[in-house]
Amino acid sequence: MHSLQFSVPLVPTSRFKRHSVRCASDRQQLFNRIAPVYDNLNDLLSLGQHRIWKRMAVSWSGAKTGDSLLDLCCGSGDLTFLMSEKAGADGKVIGLDFSKEQLSIASSRQYLLSKACYNNIEWVEGDALDLPFSNGYFDAITMGYGLRNVVDKRRAMQEMFRVLKPGSRVSILDFNKSMQPFTALFQGRNWRNWP
């Protein structure tokens, strides 16, 4: 039996680590632009239900006290904070996103909310298609509203399963393309030139 040990180094001089981001730059720019209104968009598109769905996604992930957890495409950190509460002070949670602006908002929220368990969170700027973690490192992974935005879904799934410990779970929360006129209007909108 082999044991692989690895720790993600902290960078004390910045609020979050920066890794080379190799993803579709237009999507990255989009999420940097909409970062200030991202949470409001989720409220609008889900009619506020996303808060319940996020709790369910974390529950389905099987995350527990002391775990090493990853929230992939973490945005402003909603799922990351919920995962942090599950992991507790003995656990470790990484919120990874390719949007520097989203991570900045998440880091600010961490400071403002200032729950003791949130000290276990590290924010990492990175690409879901090339995760900067060792094989089999995480006990659970969540991804909220991110799979639809990666340029290669298959590669993103391969990376998730690569860094996940055998027998552990990935819990993905996302919207379907809607046929309802109200939600289809927002899902089909060209956000490239907004705001």
Side-chain angles (χ1 to χ4, degrees):
M1 182 171 176
H2 292 43
S3 173
L4 176 65
Q5 293 185 347
F6 145 47
S7 64
V8 179
L10 295 174
V11 179
T13 59
S14 67
R15 289 190 297 180
F16 52 88
K17 283 190 347 188
R18 291 187 169 95
H19 291 276
S20 168
V21 178
R22 288 173 262 137
C23 58
S25 63
D26 59 331
R27 291 184 187 197
Q28 187 178 28
Q29 291 170 4
L30 164 72
F31 279 92
N32 281 331
R33 274 197 314 270
I34 68 169
V37 297
Y38 180 77
D39 290 330
N40 292 334
L41 286 173
N42 278 339
D43 277 331
L44 182 63
L45 291 173
S46 73
L47 302 176
Q49 295 298 302
H50 70 100
R51 297 175 205 296
I52 295 167
W53 300 337
K54 287 173 181 175
R55 291 193 177 281
M56 292 168 61
V58 169
S59 175
W60 292 335
S61 76
K64 58 190 179 308
T65 302
D67 279 353
S68 292
L69 307 172
L70 173 63
D71 181 23
L72 194 53
C73 302
C74 68
S76 62
D78 284 351
L79 283 171
T80 314
F81 294 123
L82 293 173
M83 294 286 272
S84 172
E85 292 170 10
K86 288 282 188 182
D90 295 330
K92 175 72 178 166
V93 182
I94 295 179
L96 182 137
D97 203 284
F98 69 172
S99 168
K100 186 182 339 180
E101 297 304 319
Q102 290 279 32
L103 290 169
S104 179
I105 290 170
S107 179
S108 296
R109 290 179 68 201
Q110 179 183 17
Y111 176 76
L112 289 173
L113 296 171
S114 69
K115 276 190 172 180
C117 64
Y118 295 165
N119 291 331
N120 67 6
I121 299 173
E122 180 183 350
W123 306 106
V124 176
E125 183 180 350
D127 187 349
L129 305 181
D130 186 20
L131 295 174
F133 310 111
S134 295
N135 295 349
Y137 182 73
F138 294 103
D139 296 293
I141 298 173
T142 55
M143 181 186 231
Y145 311 113
L147 193 58
R148 64 186 163 170
N149 294 310
V150 297
V151 294
D152 185 343
K153 291 172 182 50
R154 182 181 182 87
R155 177 73 181 147
M157 294 298 293
Q158 288 172 336
E159 278 293 278
M160 281 185 253
F161 287 112
R162 179 185 67 77
V163 301
L164 191 65
K165 289 179 182 175
S168 298
R169 296 183 195 164
V170 172
S171 181
I172 298 174
L173 174 62
D174 223 319
F175 286 123
N176 280 336
K177 286 286 187 182
S178 177
M179 296 310 198
Q180 298 298 319
F182 178 73
T183 54
L185 170 72
F186 289 99
Q187 288 178 342
R189 180 178 165 98
N190 180 357
W191 295 103
R192 184 176 305 219
N193 299 319
W194 187 84

